[in-house]
Amino acid sequence: MRRICGVNRIVRPVSGILLRRLALASIIANVGIVVTGGAVRLTASGLGCPTWPRCTDDSYVTTPEMGVYGVIEFGNRMLTFAVGLIALATVLAVLLHRPRRPGLLVLAVAVFLGIPAQAVIGGITVLTNLNPWVVGLHFLASMAVIAAAYALWRRIGDPDGPPVAVVPAPLRALARVTTGVTVAVLVVGTWVTGSGPHAGDHGAARNGLDPETISQVHADGVFLLIGLSVALIFAFRAVGAQRATRAAIVLVAVELGQGLIGFVQYFTHVPAILVGAHMLGSCLVLLAALSVQWSTRERRPVTPAADVAATRAEEPVPVTA
């Protein structure tokens, strides 16, 4: 019991189950705002609110004269507050969780601060009349927040012991390379979008890259990514890493689905509905790649001091790189 401002209040610790559910909700909410942001672009509502942080020079909210475009853009802006509230609730839950868990607060705060930072970048996209490079950065900022939210969710579910490797060092390196190629594919994907027809507004500029050429570069990156991911399946299976093998299989399945959407949208002249599905798929590919990375090591419960000597010889080599 704590005495606060002369009033006795009972501060109940937050359970680990609730904490993990909040972290999962944060992942889902951030993926959702990527999809709704895509809807803004694909309906040409990117300048539905022509300025920022106000919707118009005289109003923070949309006006009837702005029509459906204003409603779509303003609605997406309001979703940012909902995502932020979930992130704030997660930070508070981490603070109230007992016992305190190392590393959780840093990740929770990173997710929370990433949301206003992402919103500011979104505002800059409006103020620059949907400059395609800034729009791409806006998407990538969302990917960074999703990655932080995923790390928080996984860390909550792990014990507090030191991380230990479950696969040999070369395979951990291969998993890191695969994650790096995943990020590169996402970056080049924003260049493809910036060269294509979905500018977010009928008057917005394109990035000047040749759509066919940059799409081929993107496709080549996808082929490399799939090849690396398939190699991970066989490599993990060879060393008996079942959890890592399952994660790699999921990654390949998501990549193949995303690749199929990409090819269909390219040969059908980039219909809006498929572009939206492709944006959702990008989030899923990132999450699947992070899952593979996470599966290459594990944390085990902290061993009591009396048992350390008896179990040290059986412990895997700690992760050092």
Side-chain angles (χ1 to χ4, degrees), residues 45-56:
S45 302
L47 293 178
C49 286
T51 188
W52 187 89
R54 296 173 182 263
C55 192
T56 70

mmCIF file with all atom_site columns, all heavy atoms in Angstrom, residues 45-56:
data_model
loop_
_atom_site.group_PDB
_atom_site.id
_atom_site.type_symbol
_atom_site.label_atom_id
_atom_site.label_alt_id
_atom_site.label_comp_id
_atom_site.label_asym_id
_atom_site.label_entity_id
_atom_site.label_seq_id
_atom_site.pdbx_PDB_ins_code
_atom_site.Cartn_x
_atom_site.Cartn_y
_atom_site.Cartn_z
_atom_site.occupancy
_atom_site.B_iso_or_equiv
_atom_site.pdbx_formal_charge
_atom_site.auth_seq_id
_atom_site.auth_comp_id
_atom_site.auth_asym_id
_atom_site.auth_atom_id
_atom_site.pdbx_PDB_model_num
ATOM 1  N N   . SER A 1 45 ? -6.135 10.480 -51.014 1.00 0.00 ? 45 SER A N   1
ATOM 2  C CA  . SER A 1 45 ? -6.552 11.373 -49.934 1.00 0.00 ? 45 SER A CA  1
ATOM 3  C C   . SER A 1 45 ? -5.381 11.937 -49.157 1.00 0.00 ? 45 SER A C   1
ATOM 4  O O   . SER A 1 45 ? -5.555 12.495 -48.069 1.00 0.00 ? 45 SER A O   1
ATOM 5  C CB  . SER A 1 45 ? -7.466 10.605 -48.961 1.00 0.00 ? 45 SER A CB  1
ATOM 6  O OG  . SER A 1 45 ? -8.588 10.081 -49.624 1.00 0.00 ? 45 SER A OG  1
ATOM 7  N N   . GLY A 1 46 ? -4.182 11.801 -49.691 1.00 0.00 ? 46 GLY A N   1
ATOM 8  C CA  . GLY A 1 46 ? -2.999 12.224 -48.967 1.00 0.00 ? 46 GLY A CA  1
ATOM 9  C C   . GLY A 1 46 ? -2.993 13.691 -48.593 1.00 0.00 ? 46 GLY A C   1
ATOM 10 O O   . GLY A 1 46 ? -2.400 14.077 -47.585 1.00 0.00 ? 46 GLY A O   1
ATOM 11 N N   . LEU A 1 47 ? -3.631 14.527 -49.391 1.00 0.00 ? 47 LEU A N   1
ATOM 12 C CA  . LEU A 1 47 ? -3.749 15.947 -49.076 1.00 0.00 ? 47 LEU A CA  1
ATOM 13 C C   . LEU A 1 47 ? -5.196 16.306 -48.775 1.00 0.00 ? 47 LEU A C   1
ATOM 14 O O   . LEU A 1 47 ? -5.626 17.435 -48.994 1.00 0.00 ? 47 LEU A O   1
ATOM 15 C CB  . LEU A 1 47 ? -3.198 16.801 -50.231 1.00 0.00 ? 47 LEU A CB  1
ATOM 16 C CG  . LEU A 1 47 ? -1.681 16.681 -50.470 1.00 0.00 ? 47 LEU A CG  1
ATOM 17 C CD1 . LEU A 1 47 ? -1.247 17.529 -51.659 1.00 0.00 ? 47 LEU A CD1 1
ATOM 18 C CD2 . LEU A 1 47 ? -0.895 17.037 -49.216 1.00 0.00 ? 47 LEU A CD2 1
ATOM 19 N N   . GLY A 1 48 ? -5.946 15.300 -48.282 1.00 0.00 ? 48 GLY A N   1
ATOM 20 C CA  . GLY A 1 48 ? -7.320 15.582 -47.863 1.00 0.00 ? 48 GLY A CA  1
ATOM 21 C C   . GLY A 1 48 ? -7.349 16.647 -46.789 1.00 0.00 ? 48 GLY A C   1
ATOM 22 O O   . GLY A 1 48 ? -8.247 17.488 -46.747 1.00 0.00 ? 48 GLY A O   1
ATOM 23 N N   . CYS A 1 49 ? -6.373 16.607 -45.882 1.00 0.00 ? 49 CYS A N   1
ATOM 24 C CA  . CYS A 1 49 ? -6.081 17.715 -44.968 1.00 0.00 ? 49 CYS A CA  1
ATOM 25 C C   . CYS A 1 49 ? -4.819 18.360 -45.519 1.00 0.00 ? 49 CYS A C   1
ATOM 26 O O   . CYS A 1 49 ? -3.732 17.788 -45.418 1.00 0.00 ? 49 CYS A O   1
ATOM 27 C CB  . CYS A 1 49 ? -5.851 17.228 -43.547 1.00 0.00 ? 49 CYS A CB  1
ATOM 28 S SG  . CYS A 1 49 ? -7.348 16.710 -42.675 1.00 0.00 ? 49 CYS A SG  1
ATOM 29 N N   . PRO A 1 50 ? -4.913 19.557 -46.114 1.00 0.00 ? 50 PRO A N   1
ATOM 30 C CA  . PRO A 1 50 ? -3.796 20.101 -46.874 1.00 0.00 ? 50 PRO A CA  1
ATOM 31 C C   . PRO A 1 50 ? -2.661 20.667 -46.045 1.00 0.00 ? 50 PRO A C   1
ATOM 32 O O   . PRO A 1 50 ? -1.654 21.112 -46.612 1.00 0.00 ? 50 PRO A O   1
ATOM 33 C CB  . PRO A 1 50 ? -4.459 21.197 -47.720 1.00 0.00 ? 50 PRO A CB  1
ATOM 34 C CG  . PRO A 1 50 ? -5.651 21.611 -46.926 1.00 0.00 ? 50 PRO A CG  1
ATOM 35 C CD  . PRO A 1 50 ? -6.130 20.365 -46.246 1.00 0.00 ? 50 PRO A CD  1
ATOM 36 N N   . THR A 1 51 ? -2.781 20.689 -44.724 1.00 0.00 ? 51 THR A N   1
ATOM 37 C CA  . THR A 1 51 ? -1.686 21.200 -43.905 1.00 0.00 ? 51 THR A CA  1
ATOM 38 C C   . THR A 1 51 ? -1.578 20.360 -42.645 1.00 0.00 ? 51 THR A C   1
ATOM 39 O O   . THR A 1 51 ? -2.368 19.436 -42.411 1.00 0.00 ? 51 THR A O   1
ATOM 40 C CB  . THR A 1 51 ? -1.906 22.686 -43.559 1.00 0.00 ? 51 THR A CB  1
ATOM 41 O OG1 . THR A 1 51 ? -0.725 23.201 -42.925 1.00 0.00 ? 51 THR A OG1 1
ATOM 42 C CG2 . THR A 1 51 ? -3.103 22.868 -42.646 1.00 0.00 ? 51 THR A CG2 1
ATOM 43 N N   . TRP A 1 52 ? -0.577 20.681 -41.817 1.00 0.00 ? 52 TRP A N   1
ATOM 44 C CA  . TRP A 1 52 ? -0.315 19.921 -40.595 1.00 0.00 ? 52 TRP A CA  1
ATOM 45 C C   . TRP A 1 52 ? 0.366  20.834 -39.582 1.00 0.00 ? 52 TRP A C   1
ATOM 46 O O   . TRP A 1 52 ? 1.174  21.674 -39.980 1.00 0.00 ? 52 TRP A O   1
ATOM 47 C CB  . TRP A 1 52 ? 0.575  18.722 -40.929 1.00 0.00 ? 52 TRP A CB  1
ATOM 48 C CG  . TRP A 1 52 ? 0.777  17.768 -39.784 1.00 0.00 ? 52 TRP A CG  1
ATOM 49 C CD1 . TRP A 1 52 ? 0.008  16.700 -39.463 1.00 0.00 ? 52 TRP A CD1 1
ATOM 50 C CD2 . TRP A 1 52 ? 1.826  17.795 -38.817 1.00 0.00 ? 52 TRP A CD2 1
ATOM 51 N NE1 . TRP A 1 52 ? 0.495  16.053 -38.360 1.00 0.00 ? 52 TRP A NE1 1
ATOM 52 C CE2 . TRP A 1 52 ? 1.624  16.714 -37.941 1.00 0.00 ? 52 TRP A CE2 1
ATOM 53 C CE3 . TRP A 1 52 ? 2.919  18.631 -38.590 1.00 0.00 ? 52 TRP A CE3 1
ATOM 54 C CZ2 . TRP A 1 52 ? 2.466  16.446 -36.864 1.00 0.00 ? 52 TRP A CZ2 1
ATOM 55 C CZ3 . TRP A 1 52 ? 3.758  18.385 -37.517 1.00 0.00 ? 52 TRP A CZ3 1
ATOM 56 C CH2 . TRP A 1 52 ? 3.528  17.295 -36.671 1.00 0.00 ? 52 TRP A CH2 1
ATOM 57 N N   . PRO A 1 53 ? 0.086  20.772 -38.287 1.00 0.00 ? 53 PRO A N   1
ATOM 58 C CA  . PRO A 1 53 ? -0.768 19.793 -37.602 1.00 0.00 ? 53 PRO A CA  1
ATOM 59 C C   . PRO A 1 53 ? -2.266 20.058 -37.726 1.00 0.00 ? 53 PRO A C   1
ATOM 60 O O   . PRO A 1 53 ? -3.066 19.204 -37.372 1.00 0.00 ? 53 PRO A O   1
ATOM 61 C CB  . PRO A 1 53 ? -0.316 19.913 -36.147 1.00 0.00 ? 53 PRO A CB  1
ATOM 62 C CG  . PRO A 1 53 ? 0.126  21.311 -36.000 1.00 0.00 ? 53 PRO A CG  1
ATOM 63 C CD  . PRO A 1 53 ? 0.757  21.673 -37.321 1.00 0.00 ? 53 PRO A CD  1
ATOM 64 N N   . ARG A 1 54 ? -2.658 21.268 -38.189 1.00 0.00 ? 54 ARG A N   1
ATOM 65 C CA  . ARG A 1 54 ? -4.079 21.508 -38.435 1.00 0.00 ? 54 ARG A CA  1
ATOM 66 C C   . ARG A 1 54 ? -4.508 20.764 -39.684 1.00 0.00 ? 54 ARG A C   1
ATOM 67 O O   . ARG A 1 54 ? -3.683 20.376 -40.516 1.00 0.00 ? 54 ARG A O   1
ATOM 68 C CB  . ARG A 1 54 ? -4.344 23.008 -38.608 1.00 0.00 ? 54 ARG A CB  1
ATOM 69 C CG  . ARG A 1 54 ? -4.065 23.857 -37.377 1.00 0.00 ? 54 ARG A CG  1
ATOM 70 C CD  . ARG A 1 54 ? -4.212 25.339 -37.736 1.00 0.00 ? 54 ARG A CD  1
ATOM 71 N NE  . ARG A 1 54 ? -3.908 26.219 -36.603 1.00 0.00 ? 54 ARG A NE  1
ATOM 72 C CZ  . ARG A 1 54 ? -4.820 26.733 -35.802 1.00 0.00 ? 54 ARG A CZ  1
ATOM 73 N NH1 . ARG A 1 54 ? -6.101 26.478 -36.019 1.00 0.00 ? 54 ARG A NH1 1
ATOM 74 N NH2 . ARG A 1 54 ? -4.465 27.512 -34.791 1.00 0.00 ? 54 ARG A NH2 1
ATOM 75 N N   . CYS A 1 55 ? -5.825 20.599 -39.814 1.00 0.00 ? 55 CYS A N   1
ATOM 76 C CA  . CYS A 1 55 ? -6.350 19.982 -41.033 1.00 0.00 ? 55 CYS A CA  1
ATOM 77 C C   . CYS A 1 55 ? -6.475 21.037 -42.127 1.00 0.00 ? 55 CYS A C   1
ATOM 78 O O   . CYS A 1 55 ? -6.229 20.765 -43.298 1.00 0.00 ? 55 CYS A O   1
ATOM 79 C CB  . CYS A 1 55 ? -7.701 19.327 -40.753 1.00 0.00 ? 55 CYS A CB  1
ATOM 80 S SG  . CYS A 1 55 ? -8.284 18.256 -42.082 1.00 0.00 ? 55 CYS A SG  1
ATOM 81 N N   . THR A 1 56 ? -6.858 22.256 -41.732 1.00 0.00 ? 56 THR A N   1
ATOM 82 C CA  . THR A 1 56 ? -6.856 23.418 -42.616 1.00 0.00 ? 56 THR A CA  1
ATOM 83 C C   . THR A 1 56 ? -6.177 24.550 -41.845 1.00 0.00 ? 56 THR A C   1
ATOM 84 O O   . THR A 1 56 ? -5.849 24.422 -40.670 1.00 0.00 ? 56 THR A O   1
ATOM 85 C CB  . THR A 1 56 ? -8.279 23.849 -43.021 1.00 0.00 ? 56 THR A CB  1
ATOM 86 O OG1 . THR A 1 56 ? -8.942 24.399 -41.870 1.00 0.00 ? 56 THR A OG1 1
ATOM 87 C CG2 . THR A 1 56 ? -9.084 22.678 -43.550 1.00 0.00 ? 56 THR A CG2 1
#
